[in-house]
Amino acid sequence: MLITIDQALAPDQVAELRARLQAAPDAWVDGRATAGFQGAPVKFNQQVDEASPVAAECQAVVLAALERNPLFISAALPNVVYPPMFNRYGEGMTFGAHVDGGVRIDPRTGRKLRTDVSATLFLSEPEDYDGGELEIADTYGEHAVKLKAGDLVLYPATSLHQVTPITRGERLACFFWIQSLVRDDGQRTLLYDLDTAIQRLGQTGADETARTTLVGCYHNLLRQWADV
Ligand code: NI
């Protein structure tokens, strides 16, 4: 499932992050610092050093916003969220086709985290740069994603994807991964659809007994499929 979440960050939060990131030029390093065997040869961008103070400050803003976002919770069913990272593509920079690493080490805990869902949170307005589309391939074809600042896209971490070359301006973004309670994308999608329908029934005055039964089905499916 590929899903976009509008205004995961409010405009003032985007402005705050942009100001913090731009005020810390020494924190930016070559993006290949964290690329794996497959990604390093095709990755040409910059990212904020995960150990820098500005990274921690900006991560806190993003994580707090995600925790309060019901659409994010429903779609990702997060178990562990990797500390958000921040990248920058200037003119000529690009990240060629790759699949994100399946397991990462959580720098906070040293524990391994399975990457079920990949996330990109756009921090630049689309009119401020040309190119820089996030192209994601799934079973239905290729999707070019270029969202407004503050908007978030979630997609299965199993997807082949790339960031096309920037031909004008600068693209600033936040990216991270989620180990979901439900590792299978198909099961997660069913739960998301069921939850969305249940919410809608609640808003439209549907039969309460039938709705309660569906809520029970949701939780009993989650119980069957969740690993915690
Ligand atoms: Ni990637």
Side-chain angles (χ1 to χ4, degrees):
M1 174 175 61
L2 187 156
I3 184 170
T4 59
I5 299 176
D6 294 346
Q7 297 297 286
L9 283 186
D12 61 321
Q13 293 173 310
V14 172
E16 180 192 343
L17 289 189
R18 289 180 57 91
R20 285 182 189 268
L21 293 170
Q22 278 159 3
D26 294 344
W28 290 91
V29 298
D30 189 318
R32 277 170 284 197
T34 57
F37 169 76
Q38 182 201 203
V42 293
K43 186 174 184 183
F44 300 100
N45 68 0
Q46 295 175 304
Q47 66 191 28
V48 169
D49 181 353
E50 289 183 273
S52 65
V54 68
E57 293 163 11
C58 293
Q59 285 164 2
V61 173
V62 175
L63 290 171
L66 295 176
E67 279 172 15
R68 293 192 297 269
N69 191 307
L71 190 50
F72 172 75
I73 305 287
S74 177
L77 293 171
N79 185 353
V80 186
V81 179
Y82 190 88
M85 298 173 68
F86 300 87
N87 63 15
R88 178 163 70 187
Y89 293 79
E91 281 181 25
M93 293 186 184
T94 181
F95 195 167
H98 66 281
V99 174
D100 293 340
V103 173
R104 299 188 71 92
I105 307 290
D106 187 329
R108 297 165 300 192
T109 61
R111 296 181 63 173
K112 295 186 178 72
L113 174 151
R114 190 186 63 236
T115 57
D116 296 318
V117 180
S118 294
T120 296
L121 174 54
F122 289 76
L123 297 175
S124 294
E125 293 295 353
E127 58 269 25
D128 289 346
Y129 59 97
D130 291 331
E133 284 89 2
L134 173 59
E135 289 188 350
I136 303 165
D138 67 13
T139 49
Y140 303 108
E142 289 233 335
H143 307 270
V145 180
K146 187 171 182 175
L147 303 177
K148 289 183 187 162
D151 291 357
L152 172 71
V153 60
L154 302 176
Y155 58 100
T158 50
S159 312
L160 188 68
H161 60 280
Q162 63 178 328
V163 176
T164 63
I166 303 287
T167 56
R168 178 189 63 88
E170 180 188 82
R171 176 193 192 271
L172 202 59
C174 168
F175 65 105
F176 54 97
W177 300 270
I178 299 116
Q179 179 171 319
S180 179
L181 291 166
V182 176
R183 72 188 293 174
D184 181 77
D185 181 61
Q187 292 174 338
R188 231 173 18 248
T189 303
L190 281 173
L191 288 170
Y192 173 72
D193 287 344
L194 186 52
D195 185 39
T196 304
I198 289 168
Q199 300 295 333
R200 178 93 184 124
L201 290 174
Q203 292 158 4
T204 53
D207 181 275
E208 193 52 37
T209 304
R211 185 174 173 277
T212 302
T213 303
L214 288 176
V215 171
C217 289
Y218 176 89
H219 284 289
N220 291 332
L221 284 172
L222 181 60
R223 201 183 330 275
Q224 283 204 24
W225 292 338
D227 45 29
V228 291

